[in-house]
Amino acid sequence: MIELQGLEKRYGDSFAVRDLNLVFAEGELTALLGPSGCGKTTTLRMINRLIEPTGGRVLLRGQDTHTLKPETLRRGIGYVIQQIGLFPHLNVAQNVATVPDLLGRPARDTERRVDELLDLVGLSPAEYRFKKPAELSGGQAQRVGVARALAADPPVLLMDEPFGALDPLARDKLQDAFRDIQRRLKKTVIMVTHDIDEALRLADRIALMNAGELAQFGTPDDLIHRPASDFVRQFLGEDAALRQLAGRRAADFAHPGDPAGLPTVDAQLDARSALGIMLREGADALAVTQAGESIGILRWSDLQTIPMQPPISIRDEVT
Amino acid sequence: MSKPTPTGAGGNRPSAPLLSVTKNAVRGDVPQVLVLAALPLLAGAALPWVLLRPNRLAPGEYLRLPPALLALMLVLALLPLLAARFLPRLTWLAAGLAVVAVFWVVGLQTRCALVGQAEFARASAAAGVWLSGLGALIAVYGAGLLLVGRQKLLAWAWVPAVLALVWAGHLSGWSVLVEARNEGPRWVQELAQHLRLVGTALGLSTLIGVPLAVWAAGRERVAVAVLGLANAIQTLPSLALLGLLIAPLSALSNAFPALRAAGISGIGVAPALTAMTLYALLPILRNGVVALRGVPAGAVDAARGMGMTGRQIFWRVQVPLALPVWLTGIRQAAVLLVGVASVAALIGAGGLGTYIFKGLQSAAADLILLGAVPAALLAIGVDAALRGLEVWLGRRFGRVG
Amino acid sequence: MTSSSLTAARTGRRRWPWGVLLWPSLLLLCLIPGVLPRLLAPLNLGELTAFDPPLWRLTLTHLGLVALATGVVLGLGVPLAVAVTRPGRVALRQLAETLVGLGQTVPTFAILALAVPALGFGWKPTLLGLIVYGLVPVVSNGIAGLQSVDTSALDAARGMGMTGRQRLLRVELPLALPVLLAGVRTSTVYNVGTATVGAALGAGGLGEPIINGLSQQNTALVLVGAVLSALLALSLDAVLGLFAPRT
Ligand SMILES: Nc1ncnc2c1ncn2[C@@H]1O[C@H](COP(=O)(O)OP(=O)(O)OP(=O)(O)O)[C@@H](O)[C@H]1O
Ligand SMILES: [Mg+2]
């Protein structure tokens, strides 16, 4: 879907981004991960040409973005900027409606869409529609920023630390909600973050950057179990595997099997806690239950590989 | 938007940095200013430069530049731009040349025009001169932006050159200077009178305004009232205010003939000075109150906590912190006064305004220029000088205001 | 824009600010023939004969000059402020700021008088002076307002694919508007005062009684002009204040 070929940005004598080659697959969420100042924002902004590269090119569905008018390109790509950047003179609804307006969508549809999106990011439309950005908390503003990027239903979303200003609880909720939206709508998302947990939790693939260059590109599993360098290992930390489990539900790992005599865990419990229960109980398998009924069993060995999609479909309670 | 150079996937990237940005690179935006300067210069060259009249009031004929001078002015119009492009370090010279050339050509053309004319004939500058002069000054400004630090002085190199032209008598045919020569010592007197009026009024209003501001700043009610009054009076026309302030004086002198004998009446220097003093009092008082009240309460508290006395707090904390804003008020007052003093001629107080009103009454443009241009330059000079003083004082107090 | 439908609700209806009418009604009262002379008579400051032209004509001339100047100032000043605040035009902006500073420093009377040789006597040089002088607050406030627009909002606008023109119309100008309007207000109110000086150039207006009064030493006459121009200034200030956004 989006392909970076030898992408480079140079400021004076120093490189902000250097020889970056990456393919972001359609419908996947890729995290751009790395320490502060490693060039994540620069990379993201070169994709929608807010920054013009000094070398290399960006292909969008095989087409060089350089052949497109920047405005046209940007209107088809949702963008959540790091500083939120709501328009202070417009209210929440008007902020969210900006891109549909630019695209000339009918006002009535847009109005409905605005309410839908506000609901989606957990802000009650009735209460927040007419508030001005100055009346919002940092986290609320950030959610409006996410809604605004989604408003025109773009197939591609670029997000620069979209959940940075939220408290851990709200962040977890919004992250879950967002992952569901993304899975359901099959958006291609590139999300900048320096939060490892966030990347492990949300991303299908992670591009780990260091000092402007790509350190490793792969699934969270690849990075954890097959780190390409010491930097990757150190950046993720020795407990990366555990942190990865913390971001998944026990149900994601469950397989059909006989639950008889096994300690039970709830399907919504995170996998790390499930592992803790195995250690405590001295068991090497657990029965996974949902609403009292067994939906499968979870073995010790199942936890060693993270499934991309849950093998067993479960009823979704988090939205 | 600069286009990226597509190098293709994994294309060779240069290992050595490309041309590094030179430290003294030409500011890319200065040529815009030089283009803006070239436009009036080009237009001015094509317009008439001299208005020749048989005497100072009669209608006259407009004279254009001869081809050779026209060509010269056209070349000089474009020279700063070309210099900025190819020899950026000499842009100031090209722009300065344009200014000097304007004066030189005015001198040359007025003298040529007067050859064979009667004694009362006048040759004055026409639209072309004013436009070209404006363009040349903009070019000088643009050139100044290319200079840094001490070099900035080079942008003023044209001033001594122009003064030398005047000194050498090259401009003696220009009607404004003819008037100036005729007026001679009287003009100097009026200038001195203008300065005296401004200086006295500023001195008096500072003497009154400073203690008054200190007194008012400490009293909540008074301070609010003072600020409200000052803001309301700001909306009043200065001319009207001058008139209004004179009213009580003239009423007094009407009532007490003794006062009139002492020189206090509705016209003359005394009412003008009174009015000007009161007028200048406003910015000094307002900025003083604002500045003193703007001193952070924390700083005063800390000083009190250290055991400073009230007097020490005032001199060591409040005054240094309030000074920059206060000085700005005094500067505003001074600039205002230069303007008000030129209107004061209307009530017989003298000053440069005398020439403006004389010129307006007799429809003599040269006389107006003789009063208005020096008044404008005086205001700019006073503003610059007081700004300099502010910076200097700011440095002495350890920070730049 | 959907904005119309989205803003309609909530804002509610503003209460009509009756206070605004105070100054204009006082002004109208003073313009009724005979009212001002009668009010000033007890002060015993001077003779007030019948006015020719009548006071309301002088006031209208005055207002017309100021309004015309404000119109031209808006037409010139706003595009100018926009033009010099586009990216890559720092030098032009510095030039504009310097010129504005000069306009503030040079005495009004000198500006007006300097326009006479170019335009002759009457309302023309006065109008030119008013325009030059009126441009100062509009351009400087316009530049300040446009410069203070939050860069992250602009960045977001660019990221959404707004063109330069859309950014200007939808983000920059609305955000700069309060400061810009304050500049327009200052410009208009000060120009009421400046226009009185125009009477010295034969522009007519409310400066005429002031100048006549000063030269004839008739304080009552001065007072008539001063009161009326002050009332005009306060009226315009109040009316323009209606456009100022509430905070
Ligand atoms: N306009 C610029 N001029 C010069 N250097 C720049 C510019 N913008 C970014 N850089 C440099 O490029 C590098 C990458 O910056 P970038 O904003 O992409 O970092 P980041 O990975 O997003 O960091 P963070 O997590 O702190 O947001 C940094 O070292 C930065 O200093
Ligand atoms: Mg960043």
Side-chain angles (χ1 to χ4, degrees), chain C residues 45 50-51 57-58 62 72 80 109 111 113 116 131 171 186 221:
Chain C
L45 292 169
F51 289 97
R57 285 277 301 253
L58 290 178
H62 203 95
V72 177
L80 200 69
F109 189 40
I111 292 183
V116 171
I131 291 170
V171 183
T186 313
L221 212 51

Side-chain angles (χ1 to χ4, degrees), chain B residues 6 55 85 106 126 148 160 163 195 213 222 255 284 292 300 322 393:
Chain B
N55 62 55
R85 175 83 180 73
V106 170
V148 284
L163 286 181
L195 287 172
V222 182
I284 295 177
L292 285 172
V300 176
L393 280 175

Side-chain angles (χ1 to χ4, degrees), chain B residues 50-54 61 63 106-124 170 172-174 178:
Chain B
V50 173
L51 171 62
L52 180 65
R53 291 166 302 175
E61 59 168 327
L63 308 177
V106 170
L108 198 65
Q109 288 305 96
T110 46
R111 274 206 293 184
C112 287
L114 288 176
V115 169
Q117 298 283 334
E119 192 193 337
F120 295 116
R122 290 293 152 87
S124 38
H170 178 77
S172 60
W174 189 6
V178 172

Side-chain angles (χ1 to χ4, degrees), chain A residues 21-294:
Chain A
N21 294 289
L22 270 176
V23 179
F24 302 100
E26 179 125 25
E28 277 192 357
L29 194 159
T30 308
L32 275 182
L33 185 64
S36 189
C38 71
K40 306 181 294 289
T41 299
T42 308
T43 306
L44 200 71
R45 289 163 71 85
M46 283 194 285
I47 294 173
N48 65 0
R49 285 183 62 195
L50 282 174
I51 295 180
E52 294 288 355
T54 48
R57 51 187 194 158
V58 178
L59 303 182
L60 179 68
R61 292 193 203 87
Q63 188 179 18
D64 190 340
T65 55
H66 195 253
T67 60
L68 295 167
K69 238 182 93 186
E71 283 82 22
T72 322
L73 173 73
R74 291 176 198 147
R75 282 178 203 176
I77 299 179
Y79 179 46
V80 183
I81 79 167
Q82 195 167 5
Q83 299 82 6
I84 305 175
L86 296 183
F87 301 132
H89 60 301
L90 302 180
N91 62 31
V92 166
Q94 289 167 326
N95 262 290
V96 176
T98 310
V99 182
D101 268 3
L102 288 175
L103 293 170
R105 305 246 168 103
R108 192 167 284 279
D109 296 353
T110 305
E111 224 169 312
R112 206 169 333 108
R113 174 107 187 113
V114 166
D115 287 0
E116 250 173 55
L117 283 166
L118 288 180
D119 257 334
L120 201 68
V121 296
L123 297 172
S124 121
E127 188 180 344
Y128 287 96
R129 205 183 285 139
F130 297 115
K131 288 208 178 193
K132 285 284 174 74
E135 300 167 291
L136 301 176
S137 74
Q140 289 165 347
Q142 206 156 48
R143 287 190 246 181
V144 175
V146 174
R148 184 170 70 171
L150 285 168
D153 204 9
V156 179
L157 265 180
L158 307 179
M159 312 177 88
D160 201 343
E161 306 198 18
F163 307 123
L166 296 166
D167 65 279
L169 218 68
R171 175 163 45 209
D172 283 358
K173 258 178 78 179
L174 198 60
Q175 280 174 350
D176 282 339
F178 183 75
R179 184 171 56 175
D180 289 330
I181 299 168
Q182 191 263 333
R183 292 268 154 81
R184 205 165 60 231
L185 303 178
K186 288 278 166 241
K187 302 248 178 251
T188 307
V189 180
I190 304 173
M191 178 187 284
V192 164
T193 176
H194 49 224
D195 177 354
I196 301 161
D197 290 318
E198 185 169 83
L200 293 175
R201 194 179 154 93
L202 294 181
D204 298 310
R205 267 169 231 284
I206 295 176
L208 179 57
M209 294 179 66
N210 184 25
E213 293 184 84
L214 188 64
Q216 189 171 359
F217 180 55
T219 61
D221 257 9
D222 288 340
L223 266 72
I224 290 168
H225 299 295
R226 292 172 287 283
S229 62
D230 282 347
F231 168 78
V232 178
R233 199 195 325 274
Q234 272 164 20
F235 188 79
L236 291 181
E238 299 298 347
D239 60 344
L242 276 180
R243 296 161 81 171
Q244 186 188 21
L245 288 181
R248 297 298 171 110
R249 289 170 291 194
D252 295 352
F253 299 86
H255 287 281
D258 178 17
L262 295 176
T264 60
V265 291
D266 189 81
Q268 298 299 336
L269 192 72
D270 68 88
R272 180 181 175 163
S273 306
L275 179 63
I277 293 175
M278 282 189 202
L279 291 175
R280 195 183 64 208
E281 303 288 329
D284 56 6
L286 298 172
V288 183
T289 62
Q290 184 161 27
E293 275 175 47
S294 169

Side-chain angles (χ1 to χ4, degrees), chain B residues 159-202:
Chain B
V159 175
V162 168
L163 286 181
L165 277 182
V166 175
W167 198 255
H170 178 77
L171 290 155
S172 60
W174 189 6
S175 56
V176 177
L177 291 188
V178 172
E179 290 294 351
R181 210 170 37 240
N182 290 346
E183 291 291 330
R186 238 178 318 156
W187 183 83
V188 177
Q189 271 175 18
E190 295 294 6
L191 178 65
Q193 171 70 359
H194 204 98
L195 287 172
R196 253 198 312 275
L197 280 173
V198 172
T200 316
L202 189 66

Side-chain angles (χ1 to χ4, degrees), chain B residues 37-126:
Chain B
L39 296 178
L41 270 169
L42 290 174
L47 286 170
W49 273 54
V50 173
L51 171 62
L52 180 65
R53 291 166 302 175
N55 62 55
R56 91 180 185 196
L57 302 176
E61 59 168 327
Y62 285 100
L63 308 177
R64 287 172 197 276
L65 289 181
L69 287 178
L70 177 66
L72 174 73
M73 287 316 296
L74 291 179
V75 168
L76 284 174
L78 297 172
L79 205 54
L81 254 179
L82 293 174
R85 175 83 180 73
F86 298 106
L87 262 176
R89 293 156 99 219
L90 289 183
T91 313
W92 63 272
L93 188 59
L97 265 182
V99 181
V100 176
V102 170
F103 280 94
W104 183 72
V105 172
V106 170
L108 198 65
Q109 288 305 96
T110 46
R111 274 206 293 184
C112 287
L114 288 176
V115 169
Q117 298 283 334
E119 192 193 337
F120 295 116
R122 290 293 152 87
S124 38

Side-chain angles (χ1 to χ4, degrees), chain C:
Chain C
M1 265 179 82
T2 44
S3 337
S4 51
S5 52
L6 293 173
T7 33
R10 191 71 181 309
T11 11
R13 191 157 295 178
R14 224 189 244 175
R15 273 201 21 242
W16 179 252
W18 291 106
V20 169
L21 292 181
L22 173 68
W23 298 118
S25 40
L26 270 181
L27 177 63
L28 287 179
L29 190 73
C30 288
L31 285 180
I32 299 171
V35 169
L36 258 187
R38 195 153 309 156
L39 281 177
L40 294 179
L43 296 177
N44 209 5
L45 292 169
E47 285 284 301
L48 285 182
T49 48
F51 289 97
D52 176 45
L55 284 179
W56 63 267
R57 285 277 301 253
L58 290 178
T59 312
L60 269 190
T61 311
H62 203 95
L63 183 63
L65 265 176
V66 172
L68 198 58
T70 302
V72 177
V73 160
L74 274 179
L76 287 177
V78 176
L80 200 69
V82 168
V84 301
T85 47
R86 297 308 90 195
R89 294 194 187 157
V90 180
L92 282 181
R93 199 185 75 230
Q94 285 173 328
L95 176 66
E97 280 167 349
T98 305
L99 288 179
V100 160
L102 278 184
Q104 217 156 27
T105 307
V106 173
T108 331
F109 189 40
I111 292 183
L112 290 174
L114 283 175
V116 171
L119 297 171
F121 281 84
W123 58 270
K124 280 191 226 156
T126 309
L127 184 65
L128 184 71
L130 292 185
I131 291 170
V132 170
Y133 203 60
L135 274 173
V136 170
V138 171
V139 172
S140 68
N141 277 34
I143 291 176
L146 287 167
Q147 288 264 291
S148 69
V149 170
D150 184 15
T151 48
S152 70
L154 274 182
D155 197 34
R158 221 153 68 85
M160 291 172 159
M162 287 196 196
T163 60
R165 196 190 159 77
Q166 285 168 329
R167 281 202 299 277
L168 179 67
L169 293 179
R170 288 174 174 236
V171 183
E172 290 183 82
L173 281 179
L175 283 174
L177 200 63
V179 184
L180 188 66
L181 281 178
V184 175
R185 195 171 166 187
T186 313
S187 158
T188 310
V189 170
Y190 276 34
N191 264 349
V192 172
T194 311
T196 54
V197 183
L201 320 182
L206 294 169
E208 217 168 275
I210 301 182
I211 293 213
N212 288 343
L214 281 176
S215 52
Q216 299 163 17
Q217 294 210 53
N218 182 343
T219 310
L221 212 51
V222 174
L223 213 54
V224 167
V227 166
L228 287 180
S229 52
L231 283 178
L232 186 62
L234 290 169
S235 307
L236 284 177
D237 189 49
V239 171
L240 288 175
L242 283 180
F243 296 102
R246 327 217 135 169
T247 40

